[in-house]
Amino acid sequence: MKIHTTKKELTLHEISELLTACDRQSRRILKLKRYYWGEHDILRKRRSSDSAPNNVLVSNFCEYISNMSTGFFLGQPVAYSSVSKNEDEVDALLEIFKYNDEAAHNLELAEEASITGEAYELLYLDRDAQIRFSPIPAEQVIMVCDDSLEENVILAIRYYSVPNLDQVTADEFVDVYTESTVTHYSYSGGSFRTLYGPSPHYIGDVPIVEYANNKQHKGDFEGVITLVDAYNKAQSLTLDDMEDFTDAYLVLKGMGGTNRDDVEELRKNKVLSLDDGGTAEWLIKNINDTYVENVKTRLQKDIHKFSNIPDMSDESFTGNTSGVAIKYKLIGLEQIRSRKERGFKKGLQRRIELIAGIMKLREKTPIDFRDIEITFTANIPANLQEQAQIVGLLDGFVSRKRLLSLLPFVTDPKEEMEELEKEKEEGAEDYGDLGGEEDGADNQG
């Protein structure tokens, strides 16, 4: 979470007050994570009476929404290139990213941001003095910024607990990061005890980076939680009604002398003898199944509508569909992706800026973070035939490197061009006609 202040630095007392003030925001984040994990409020549903059924069903739309949104946004790894064609700086940056398994790391950050509305990572130097970055749970971080338009980060606070061996109690800690140092405290009852620091972290600035899911720092399913709760309740009560229907009562009219033995004999022989004027009928609850199903269908549609996440099991997604048609059906999801991209790109630029500062201090390969171009690719089902036709039509008007980047199965256009040149040098003929037959025969496929 982000806090603004006019102060240039904070005392330990002010940090303690800040931790208390931000406790409500932490509870909100933990609730969102709880819903993603399937721990919905319906699990606390109580029986109306001791004999009444109490079915609890969780339909985890929250997990579906977050997974679909994250996969569409970062299912394809982020690509990096140099605007000035400086391949050395790109190679140096990618080497650091490879060491950190950056693609998997980014996906983890995107998932956290999708659930809670924001994600954070910590940059540090490991024991081998290699640049590392690691995600931090959103509920543990407080970013303290000044009141300027730039929102310059003054310091970052990480508040977390570590379970003891008994797995019941836990010790609490607070790490405070400034532009140059980190101080590690134990925290109990509002009081601090310095464990070590302040120690230099050698990053050159506050080493925690924020990744916002959107401008409002809102989770992807946060706005439809009430609809999900209503759907869970409708599903659970429907099953309760079914059990009530199964456990119907047999009503005997004009049979006042019937005793327990008569009932047992009835169950055994499946024969019922009635006196004159006596009747027997089942006492059941009348269920308007059509109405109930219409309510659940409307709730389900509203969940997909207001989260902008389509129902991929819908019949409109079946069959052969052109790329344009698919994009039209996913236009709501694309709007979410574009907002995610802006916030995530800002975080990546900040990460690269911090890495560039470390590289400069070490007199390594210089990296100009403003020269690094960041490219996101939506993880949308591709119509390869359409894309191949587009590439063919643009050949001669657009560079081959750019054209190759349009093909989803080409992950490294530069490497692909080098392979093509290598084939030419080796004398390979018709290298562009991958489907042709020998001796110039026509392709009959």
Side-chain angles (χ1 to χ4, degrees), residues 403-419:
L403 290 177
L404 287 172
S405 68
L406 298 177
L407 299 175
F409 52 84
V410 178
T411 57
D412 190 337
K414 179 185 175 184
E415 181 182 357
E416 192 66 26
M417 291 183 65
E418 292 174 353
E419 289 294 327

Side-chain angles (χ1 to χ4, degrees), residues 341-354:
E341 182 177 317
R342 294 186 186 97
F344 210 85
K345 187 174 184 178
K346 185 177 180 179
L348 292 177
Q349 288 173 330
R350 178 61 174 164
R351 176 201 292 173
I352 297 172
E353 181 181 3
L354 292 176

Side-chain angles (χ1 to χ4, degrees), residues 54-98:
N54 187 39
N55 293 283
V56 176
L57 300 180
V58 173
S59 300
N60 201 349
F61 285 97
C62 301
E63 182 182 22
Y64 176 83
I65 290 170
S66 184
N67 289 349
M68 284 292 296
S69 177
T70 303
F72 185 73
F73 172 48
L74 271 188
Q76 297 288 343
V78 180
Y80 303 90
S81 59
S82 171
V83 177
S84 64
K85 310 302 179 184
N86 186 345
E87 300 298 337
D88 289 340
E89 67 175 2
V90 175
D91 291 342
L93 183 64
L94 293 181
E95 189 65 27
I96 296 172
F97 286 172
K98 182 178 179 181

Side-chain angles (χ1 to χ4, degrees), residues 31 77 390:
K31 177 182 178 180
I390 293 173

